[in-house]
Amino acid sequence: MTDSHLGPVSPTTEALGALRPLSLDAVRLDADGLLGAWQRRNAEATIPHCVDELSATGTLENLRRVTGQSDREFAGMWFRDSDIYKTLEAAAWQLVHGDDPGLRDLLDSTASLLAKAQQDDGYLNSYFTTVHPEKRWQELDWSHELYCAGHLIQAAVAAARADASAELMTVARRFADLIVERFGPGGTDGVDGHPEIETALVELYRATGHRPYLDTARRFLDLRGQGLLGEGRFGAAYFQDHVPVREAEEVAGHAVRQLYLLAGMVDVAVETHDTELLDAAKRMWDSALHTKTYLTGAHGSRHRDEAYGDPYELPPDRAYAETCASIASFHWAWRMLLATGEHRYADEMERVLHNAIGAAIAADGRSFFYSNPLHLRTGHDGSDEDAPSERLSWYTCPCCPPNLARLMASLHGYLATADDDGLRVHLYGEGILRSPVPGGEAEVTTRTAYPWDGRIELTVTATTDRPWTLALRIPRWCGRFTVEVDGTTVAGDAEDGYLRLTRSWNTPTVIVLDLHMPARLVSAHPRVDAVRGCVALTRGPLVYCLEQADLPDGTVLEDVRLDASAPVRPVERADLPEVPVALAADGTVDRSPSPEPYRDHAAADDAAERLSLTAVPYFLWANRTPGSMRVWIPLG
Ligand SMILES: [Zn+2]
C-alpha cells in the first residue's frame, strides 16, 4: 500500500490526536452506493461544470489581465480568484482516483498562468493587482486577500499530495513566504475579515515542515478579538473579532467565517499541543450544535449578514443555511473527530453530509443551492439569489459550487481512521478500504444499501495474526442493532458510540452489522418556537420532507397536517432519482380554510379531509417540478 497520497487534513506525527486519517489511495467508494454515486457524479458533472464556469464567467480572464493578455473589465466579485483555487483543489483530489490528462493539464496550465500573474515579491491577487493596487493589504476587513491566499495554498497542498503540478506549490509558497514576512511573528498586526488562511497555513506546514507557516497561523488566531477589523457594517462579531478566540463562549457572526476559524483553531491546537485552544473549540461546538444548528446540520439563520442568530433562532422558512457553512461544519467536525476520537463528531459529519450538503447539489450535479431552507412556502418569490426556489447553475458569489466539488472529490478520505488499537469506520458506504493495523495491514470490503437499509456487511482480512480492534460507529439515531461474526450473533455494546470487535483477523471474517432503521418522528426543543407543534420525519441518517410534487393537485402544502397516531412506513419508489425508499404517512388537509389570517382561538377547526402523504429525502427536493417543500410538518 502506498501512503503517498495523503488527503485533506493530515496532521503530523507529532500532533495531538486520537485518530489518524487513511491515505486517499487506500479507500474506494463504489458507485453502486449513494456516497460513491455522489462522488462519481462529482467527477463526471460537477468538476467539469466548475471548470467551464471559470472560463465562461471571465474568472480566469481576470488573471490574464494581470499578465497583459487581456484588457477586459475585471469580472465578478473581488475574491473571484478563490473559485479558481477551489476548482484546482477539486481537480487535484480527483487525480488521486486515476490519472486524467484534462485535469492534469488544467492544473499545469493554470499554475503557469498564476506564476506569470504573481508579482515579484510573491503577491498574487488579480483584483488588487489590476483594479486597486493602492489598496493592497489596506482593507483586510473586506479584501479577502488572505482568504484567497488560503485557498491557493490549499489547492497547492492538494496538488502536492496528488503528485500534480509542482509549480502550483512554488507559487503558493512564494505567496505564503510573503505573508509570513509581513504578518508573521515580528511583523504587522493584521487578520483577514474572512478566516481561511489559518487552516491553510497549518496544512502548508504539514506538507513542507516549515515551522513559520504554523507560527503565523497561530499568530492570526491570537490577534483575533483585539478589534483590528473594526466594527464594519455588521459589528465586530460578524468577523469573530469581538472576543479573543480562547475566550469565546458562543458561535457568532457570519457562519462560514466562524466555522473556518474553528477549523483553523483545531489545526493549530493539535500541532502546537494547545489544549486550551482545543477546549475553546469544544465549547463552541456545544454552543453551535445545541442551540444554532438546523435538523439538516445546516448553520446560520440570518440572511442580512449570513449569520448565526440568537440561541434557538432557527426558522425553517427563513433559514439561510449556506452550503459553504455546511461544508465548513463537516471540515470542523472531522478535525474534532481526529483530535478527540469522540463519536459525536462523526455523527454530525454523517448528518450534515446526507442532508444539508446532499441537498445543495442537483441530481445531475450541475446546479446548486447557496441557501438551504427547510421550508419553501407556496407562492415563494424565488427571484432572489439568496433564496431561490430552484438550484442555480452558478451564482454572482459562486463560493459554494467549487467548495462542493473539492469536498466530494476527497469524500472517501473521511470514511475511516487508523489508531493504535486498529481501525475505525465512521461513515458507511459501499466500497473497499485498506488500513495499517498493529502488526500489518487490514482490508475491509463493505457491501450495503445504506442509508436505505441498515444492513452493513463487512468482510475483513489482515496480513497479521496479531489481534487488533475493528471499531464500527453506531449512529446516535440508532436505538437498536445486532451484530454477527461469521454467522454467529455476538453480544456488543457501544457505550462510547463505537462497537468494538477485537480478535485476530488473519482469515477472512464476515461481520454483519444491522442497524435498525425505523422511520422516526422528531420534535424540536420547545425554545425552537418557530417549529412548535410540528414534527419532522427521519429514517436512518436522512431527514425527509413533503414536496408539492407529491401532493394532489390544488392542495396547498401549508394546509397539510400529519397524523402522528398513524404509522409512518418506508415505501419503495423506483421513480425517484437515486432514491429507492420514501416514507408514507397519513395526514389531513384543510380544504376550505378561511381567507382571514386570524381567528378566534376558541373557534372550531375547519373541516379537514384525510390525505395520504409521501415524504422524500430532503436532499432530493427540487429535483422534480418546482414547488413548495417543508421538513417540519404541523401535527393535527
Ligand atoms: Zn458558499
Side-chain angles (χ1 to χ4, degrees), residues 80-286:
R80 266 285 174 87
D81 291 353
S82 61
D83 304 323
I84 301 170
Y85 302 143
K86 282 189 266 189
T87 304
L88 293 183
E89 186 186 335
W93 297 133
Q94 189 58 40
L95 280 174
V96 181
H97 294 260
D99 200 21
D100 181 321
L103 292 181
R104 197 169 283 279
D105 181 60
L106 172 78
L107 279 155
D108 289 340
S109 62
T110 310
S112 175
L113 177 59
L114 289 164
K116 289 192 187 78
Q118 188 162 34
Q119 305 298 289
D120 289 343
D121 63 356
Y123 186 82
L124 179 54
N125 185 298
S126 67
Y127 180 81
F128 285 97
T129 301
T130 63
V131 182
H132 280 298
E134 78 286 2
K135 292 187 178 177
R136 186 213 268 211
W137 301 135
Q138 298 307 305
E139 297 178 351
L140 291 182
D141 49 350
W142 288 101
S143 74
H144 290 59
E145 288 159 285
L146 293 164
Y147 166 86
C148 289
H151 279 301
L152 166 65
I153 290 166
Q154 288 193 329
V157 168
R161 289 178 180 160
D163 295 332
S165 175
E167 188 170 23
L168 193 59
M169 179 56 94
T170 303
V171 170
R173 287 200 67 171
R174 285 189 63 210
F175 199 4
D177 291 343
L178 176 70
I179 291 166
V180 168
E181 185 186 316
R182 183 175 179 94
F183 297 105
T188 305
D189 286 354
V191 296
D192 196 281
H194 199 312
E196 160 64 22
I197 188 67
E198 300 82 0
T199 185
L201 283 174
V202 178
E203 281 279 270
L204 188 60
Y205 160 70
R206 289 164 172 166
T208 63
H210 189 59
R211 177 84 192 193
Y213 299 144
L214 176 60
D215 294 339
T216 303
R218 181 179 177 146
R219 187 169 141 75
F220 281 136
L221 290 177
D222 287 337
L223 285 173
R224 217 167 188 92
Q226 299 187 13
L228 290 171
L229 294 168
E231 290 294 310
R233 280 168 61 200
F234 303 118
Y238 172 83
F239 309 112
Q240 294 77 41
D241 195 35
H242 58 306
V243 59
V245 295
R246 293 163 196 278
E247 296 169 21
E249 297 285 344
E250 210 175 295
V251 290
H254 187 275
V256 178
R257 283 169 166 80
Q258 174 70 85
L259 291 161
Y260 280 13
L261 181 66
L262 284 160
M265 281 170 64
V266 182
D267 284 335
V268 169
V270 298
E271 294 295 348
T272 61
H273 291 216
D274 189 337
T275 52
E276 181 194 41
L277 195 57
L278 189 58
D279 286 345
K282 289 178 185 172
R283 273 200 315 276
M284 298 291 269
W285 180 274
D286 290 341

Side-chain angles (χ1 to χ4, degrees), residues 30-46:
D30 292 341
D32 293 345
L34 182 69
L35 299 185
W38 283 357
Q39 212 172 35
R40 183 173 67 178
R41 178 182 69 191
N42 187 62
E44 294 178 351
T46 306

Side-chain angles (χ1 to χ4, degrees), residues 89 208 218 308 314 323 422 468 483 553 572 599 616:
E89 186 186 335
T208 63
R218 181 179 177 146
Y308 287 104
L314 295 165
T323 296
W468 54 270
V483 60
D553 286 348
E572 294 191 7
R599 53 183 149 175
V616 299

Side-chain angles (χ1 to χ4, degrees), residues 592-599 606:
S592 54
S594 160
E596 293 296 323
Y598 309 107
R599 53 183 149 175
D606 293 303

